[in-house]
């Protein structure tokens, strides 16, 4: 199987989302919303006042970097803040930052965390913005459900470990053509090259098979053909050998009747010589034809040896696949042709 991919029409993947997001942020200045310390709210339970205050320092530091569009430093500060206090507002601002770093999966995860206590820790405006951005990302990303029940099998997504079976992975992923592989000692690897579409749910179950279950063997021609050619060649060469022996006998008989002082050529002597010549010609033809047939049979035996091939037990993939392709900073179209 050969796979040909073509990428075209590459543009920023989340440019529209970022522009919409920052239009709201710039107008409402919501990045500067306070992070209140203290109280007995659910998101503050079990977090000491000292840790809340340290998280507040990192949070305001991240806000300053975000206003300056230093997104990497802003993300670093927010992550430090989350290490101290798992506050929904920190998740929300980190989502704003990661949107500019084109990390849509992480943005979606942090928006979920930002919304888990409702609108109270964010205020109604930011909560509605978070819900709108989350819905937009769900339409732009693909949802995948991957399962494998083979004990001890390792499942990877685009070369990165996903889980060890038996297990299941459910989550969002960038649209496009992805390679999902399951492998285990003693089994042949199973790969699915699956096009994942934006806003759609794709369920994949990976099955592993032993070599005996999926490997088959075939030949170019029926097994008897090369052997028949080889046998015919040996028979022809053997016949040539018999004619050679007969020719030698005829010439020896002819020579034995020739006197040293000379003998007149009789009809009987002429017949012996013609007979010897005929046998010799037949022997040459037998050797030539037999040798050619033996060589041909040997070549056919080599070419007709068993060849292994793998049957596609679950290959229901279409011959041509067109799917969106989303990279680290851009998206486009992937065309896949299988033949």
């Amino acid at each position: 199987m050969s796979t040909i991919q073509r990428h075209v029409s590459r543009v920023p993947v989340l440019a529209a989302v970022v522009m919409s997001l920052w239009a709201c942020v710039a107008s409402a200045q919501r990045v500067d919303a306070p992070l209140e310390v203290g109280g007995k709210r659910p998101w503050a339970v079990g977090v000491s006042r000292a840790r809340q205050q340290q998280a507040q320092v990192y949070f305001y530091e991240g806000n300053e970097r975000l206003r300056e569009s230093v997104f990497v430093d802003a993300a670093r500060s927010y992550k430090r803040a989350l290490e101290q206090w798992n506050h929904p507002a920190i998740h929300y601002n980190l989502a704003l930052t990661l949107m500019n770093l084109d990390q849509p999966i992480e943005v979606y995860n942090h928006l979920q965390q930002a919304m888990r206590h409702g609108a109270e820790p964010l205020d109604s405006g930011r909560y509605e913005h978070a819900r709108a951005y989350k819905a937009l990302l769900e339409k732009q990303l693909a949802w995948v459900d991957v399962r494998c029940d083979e004990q001890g099998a390792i499942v990877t997504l685009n070369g990165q470990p996903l889980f060890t079976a038996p297990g299941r992975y459910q989550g969002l992923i960038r649209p496009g053509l992805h390679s999902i592989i399951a492998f285990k000692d003693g089994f042949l690897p199973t790969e699915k090259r699956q096009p994942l579409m934006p806003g759609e749910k794709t369920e994949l179950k990976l099955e592993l098979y032993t070599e005996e279950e999926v490997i088959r063997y075939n030949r170019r021609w029926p097994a008897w053909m090369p052997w028949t050619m080889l046998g015919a060649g040996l028979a022809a060469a053997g016949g040539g050998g018999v004619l050679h022996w007969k020719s030698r006998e005829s010439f020896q008989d002819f020579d034995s009747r020739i006197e040293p002082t000379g003998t007149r050529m009789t009809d009987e002597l002429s017949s012996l010589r013609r007979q010897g010549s005929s046998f010799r010609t037949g022997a040459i033809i037998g050797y030539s034809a037999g040798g050619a047939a033996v060589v041909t049979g040997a070549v056919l035996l080599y070419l007709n040896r068993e060849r292994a091939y793998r049957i596609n037990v679950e290959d229901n993939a279409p011959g041509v696949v067109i799917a969106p392709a989303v990279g680290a900073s851009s998206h486009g179209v992937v065309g896949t042709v299988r033949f």
Side-chain angles (χ1 to χ4, degrees):
M1 179 181 291
S2 174
T3 302
I4 301 173
Q5 297 184 357
R6 187 179 181 187
H7 299 258
V8 295
S9 306
R10 305 190 70 83
V11 296
V13 59
L14 294 176
V17 184
V18 173
M19 291 175 63
S20 172
L21 173 64
W22 277 104
C24 297
V25 172
S27 62
Q29 295 294 322
R30 299 188 180 278
V31 71
D32 285 330
L35 191 69
E36 296 181 2
V37 173
K40 297 182 179 180
R41 293 154 298 183
W43 53 89
V45 173
V47 183
S48 67
R49 187 177 186 85
R51 292 185 62 185
Q52 292 181 31
Q53 290 174 337
Q54 184 61 59
Q56 188 182 57
V57 171
Y58 288 134
F59 178 73
Y60 291 147
E61 179 182 283
N63 291 347
E64 184 66 27
R65 298 294 177 269
L66 184 56
R67 281 197 303 271
E68 296 171 353
S69 298
V70 186
F71 302 119
V72 174
D73 288 348
R76 185 181 300 113
S77 295
Y78 289 136
K79 289 176 181 178
R80 288 175 177 173
L82 285 174
E83 291 174 358
Q84 302 297 322
W85 189 9
N86 191 24
H87 194 291
I90 304 175
H91 283 288
Y92 178 85
N93 279 22
L94 180 54
L96 303 187
T97 304
L98 295 177
M99 186 77 74
N100 291 273
L101 297 176
D102 190 26
Q103 298 181 25
I105 307 299
E106 291 76 5
V107 169
Y108 183 85
N109 293 336
H110 285 291
L111 287 177
Q112 283 187 310
Q113 291 295 316
M115 298 171 62
R116 64 193 175 98
H117 291 292
E120 184 181 355
L122 298 178
D123 76 43
S124 59
R126 288 200 296 174
Y127 182 81
E128 289 303 318
H129 289 152
R131 186 164 61 178
Y133 303 145
K134 178 174 173 288
L136 181 58
L137 284 171
E138 287 173 347
K139 295 178 180 179
Q140 290 190 335
L141 298 172
W143 195 90
V144 66
D145 182 358
V146 181
R147 290 181 54 194
C148 182
D149 298 328
E150 183 62 46
Q151 182 73 37
I154 298 175
V155 179
T156 65
L157 172 64
N158 299 326
Q160 299 299 318
L162 202 57
F163 62 84
T164 298
R168 186 174 191 175
Y169 172 82
Q170 295 176 302
L172 291 170
I173 191 174
R174 289 175 180 266
L177 192 62
H178 296 270
S179 173
I180 302 171
I181 301 176
F183 60 92
K184 177 184 176 181
D185 289 343
F187 292 81
L188 294 174
T190 295
E191 178 182 16
K192 289 184 180 291
R193 294 183 61 81
Q194 184 71 27
L196 303 179
M197 303 301 184
E200 293 187 2
K201 178 178 179 178
T202 302
E203 296 183 3
L204 299 172
K205 185 175 180 181
L206 299 175
E207 301 282 356
L208 288 174
Y209 302 93
T210 63
E211 183 174 331
E212 292 74 17
E213 291 175 315
V214 298
I215 297 299
R216 300 291 183 270
Y217 298 89
N218 65 2
R219 300 177 185 273
R220 294 176 184 267
W221 310 284
W224 59 266
M225 289 182 62
W227 287 108
T228 300
M229 179 65 71
L230 186 61
L234 292 173
V242 172
L243 292 175
H244 188 180
W245 177 71
K246 290 286 189 182
S247 172
R248 184 176 179 182
E249 272 193 342
S250 295
F251 283 122
Q252 286 179 343
D253 191 13
F254 175 82
D255 291 339
S256 67
R257 299 186 185 194
I258 301 298
E259 298 292 338
T261 57
T263 301
R264 187 173 66 86
M265 181 65 67
T266 63
D267 291 340
E268 186 179 1
L269 290 175
S270 296
S271 177
L272 282 173
R273 187 168 65 178
R274 286 193 304 270
Q275 188 180 53
S277 296
S278 297
F279 285 148
R280 181 172 61 190
T281 301
I284 293 172
I285 293 173
Y287 286 146
S288 300
V294 168
V295 171
T296 302
V299 172
L300 292 179
L301 277 175
Y302 175 77
L303 295 177
N304 203 42
R305 67 193 187 280
E306 284 189 333
R307 298 177 299 170
Y309 67 96
R310 178 172 178 172
I311 60 174
N312 295 320
V313 179
E314 302 173 343
D315 190 7
N316 297 317
V320 179
V321 175
I322 303 296
V326 181
S329 60
S330 58
H331 77 267
V333 175
V334 177
T336 301
V337 181
R338 291 185 173 90
F339 55 88

